[in-house]
Amino acid sequence: MKRILITSAIPYINGIKHLGNLVGSQLPADLFARYHRARGNEVLFLCATDEHGTPAELAAAKAGKPVEEYCADMHAVQAKIAEGFRLSFDHFGRSSSAQNKELTQYFAGCLADQGLIAEVDEQQVYSHADGRFLPDRYIEGTCPNCGYDKARGDQCENCTKQLEPTDLIEPRSAVSGSTDLEVRNTRHLYLRQSSLRQELSDWIAQKTDWPVLTTSIAKKWLNDGDGLQDRGITRDLDWGVPVRRGNAPWPGMEGKVFYVWFDAPIEYIASAREWVDAGKGDDWQRWWRTDKGAEDVRYVQFMGKDNVPFHTLSFPATILGSREPWKLVDYIKSFNYLNYDGGQFSTSQGRGIFMDQALEILPPDYWRWWLLSHAPETSDSEFTWDNFQADVNKDLADVLGNFVSRVTKFCRSKFGETVPEGGGYGPRETALIADLQNRLESYQTHMEAVEVRKSAAELRAIWALGNEYLQAAEPWAVYKTNPEEAATIIRLSLNLIGLYGQISAPFIPDAAQTLRQAMGQTDPLWPEDLNQALTRCAVGDAFNVPENLFGKITDEQRNEWSQRFSGTRP
């Protein structure tokens, strides 16, 4: 049994996320977690809400709530939506937790003890219109590298280049839009990442199995210009983790908080402590400390490409720089962007389909299947309503749903709602089982390698084998002259439905459960032995007919939804 630690990039608290966010982190992480649980491995799947910093403050002000109340309310909303998409977190934590506060202050103290924290007088942008210092990400302007006109003061999300606010062309406040900005002096703590550059470079060089997208972004940040730069870890804000050196005050840092990028990834560790404190687990350190048993853990992170620099460099710098035996990530699965109907999904601009809206119009399996089977792994991909309708109808309704319906309804009409006996298998059945074995092994190989689209393609091919077998065997025609042979065909086909219920669960958990229950299988066992799996529905076992496993999306529905989501969310 393997031990797999899984984290997905933690979403900001300020609002409900769109489908691009979902497919870029949480959904493929859930796929991976469900697969490994089904294979009998020990899994800890963690996520949380990222609650600190100006985004939370501004969103709370807009909602007319104290920031603590707003964050608590939105955490509950995001947790409910995650449940709606069947995201199987072992714990969904909060970066504002007491556990994260303590750990963030602890790591800062460790880094200071190692000489990796510097106090720096810096020039920071103050907005007269807003009456406050502006965090880097709340200053917008034109990127000097690629010309993108909505680049933020910390990073351009278009080209991923790391920026400082003073790098921007024609900077403005993202809060008020004001250009009445002034640069003022303030003192902050910096993580001396540059002194860890070679150590980080050597560590990344060992990760030869990482996706090209991940390593290319990491190496770009390491080598661009003057290389990896020291980075501020504190800000002049009210809402966040107060700056302390472990349990001690930090002279000169009174009234400041740690920058959200510093405390947010530490929440991965803190969420494991929350998990234990909530009574869900008994030992968080065996997952996170290599001196406490985590040396045999495989740690896999999932994120969009905009989050790669912080997870390949800054968070590892925190872990390495502490000089304590904390678990480092083993594999980072990063994704490109999912675009929406000719443009970009955008939370800030309210463009696209958001997670709550998606669940209002269709059950989660429809979205899970389409998003995962079109995951933007090697390049950006695009959601269009035409493609969504065509692919869902073809894969879920015509291939999987149609097979289940034809087999169960034919059996009910000719043999009743129990598995018929028939005879032994012939060459056609032997060939089918051989094809299934090859496809299943390929499916498992792709899942182990975190190749999402290839996994989906293999699963779809396994579903298609059932239809191809049924079309070739023609039990409805055979029944007229040889009912026993028809019964053999149907017995195997019913077992195929049970098999589909087992192996489809990581992608479409609700439908998979329906299939298993229809075949009288209450446990989601993985078919480690295919021949045995294809005999689980024994002669005489009862089954039921799932009614309309997947309804087709009509042209009228497609047109209505396309029009409804053509603008921006209020």
Side-chain angles (χ1 to χ4, degrees), residues 367-496:
W367 301 107
R368 288 178 64 101
W369 173 253
W370 192 92
L371 290 168
L372 290 168
S373 61
H374 293 77
E377 290 177 289
T378 57
S379 63
D380 291 353
S381 58
E382 183 169 6
F383 178 95
T384 69
W385 287 103
D386 286 344
N387 287 342
F388 179 68
Q389 178 195 27
D391 292 341
V392 163
N393 287 353
K394 178 184 65 177
D395 297 342
L396 299 182
D398 290 343
V399 178
L400 178 60
N402 184 53
F403 175 77
V404 172
S405 179
R406 294 171 75 189
V407 170
T408 54
K409 288 180 179 178
F410 178 79
C411 186
R412 180 173 61 185
S413 69
K414 302 301 182 185
F415 303 105
E417 292 189 21
T418 58
V419 178
E421 183 172 1
Y425 291 156
R428 181 183 285 122
E429 288 71 31
T430 301
L432 170 64
I433 293 171
D435 287 343
L436 285 169
Q437 184 66 52
N438 290 334
R439 288 289 188 183
L440 181 60
E441 289 174 2
S442 181
Y443 177 46
Q444 293 170 170
T445 297
H446 292 313
M447 289 287 267
E448 295 283 349
V450 206
E451 295 172 332
V452 178
R453 291 180 74 151
K454 289 180 179 179
S455 299
E458 285 297 337
L459 180 58
R460 185 192 296 112
I462 292 171
W463 296 341
L465 285 176
N467 275 293
E468 292 164 7
Y469 169 70
L470 202 63
Q471 282 298 108
E474 296 185 303
W476 48 87
V478 171
Y479 180 81
K480 297 174 183 177
T481 57
N482 192 340
E484 182 182 30
E485 183 181 347
T488 302
I489 296 166
I490 292 301
R491 188 179 78 238
L492 178 55
S493 297
L494 289 170
N495 272 288
L496 274 178

Side-chain angles (χ1 to χ4, degrees), residues 26 59 116 124 135 302 333 386 389 400 408 452 507 516 566:
Q26 294 176 331
L116 291 170
Q124 197 172 55
F302 291 79
K333 178 66 175 183
D386 286 344
Q389 178 195 27
L400 178 60
T408 54
V452 178
F507 282 90
R516 293 195 305 272
S566 62

Side-chain angles (χ1 to χ4, degrees), residues 22 34 77-87 355-356 358-359 362-365 367-368 509-510:
L22 178 63
R34 286 179 176 275
V77 168
Q78 292 201 21
K80 183 178 180 181
I81 293 173
E83 183 180 341
F85 275 98
R86 308 298 185 255
L87 303 179
M355 291 171 66
D356 59 335
L359 291 176
L362 283 171
D365 282 349
W367 301 107
R368 288 178 64 101
D510 286 359

Side-chain angles (χ1 to χ4, degrees), residues 123-127 132-134 139 165-166 181-184:
Q123 302 293 298
Q124 197 172 55
V125 175
Y126 184 88
S127 169
R132 63 187 298 164
F133 283 103
L134 291 177
I139 305 164
T166 51
L181 309 178
E182 176 188 351
V183 177
R184 291 185 178 181

Side-chain angles (χ1 to χ4, degrees), residues 98-120:
Q99 293 89 339
N100 194 43
K101 174 182 175 181
E102 180 183 337
L103 273 170
T104 297
Q105 293 169 341
Y106 176 79
F107 271 106
C110 290
L111 292 165
D113 291 343
Q114 298 299 325
L116 291 170
I117 298 293
E119 295 190 12
V120 176

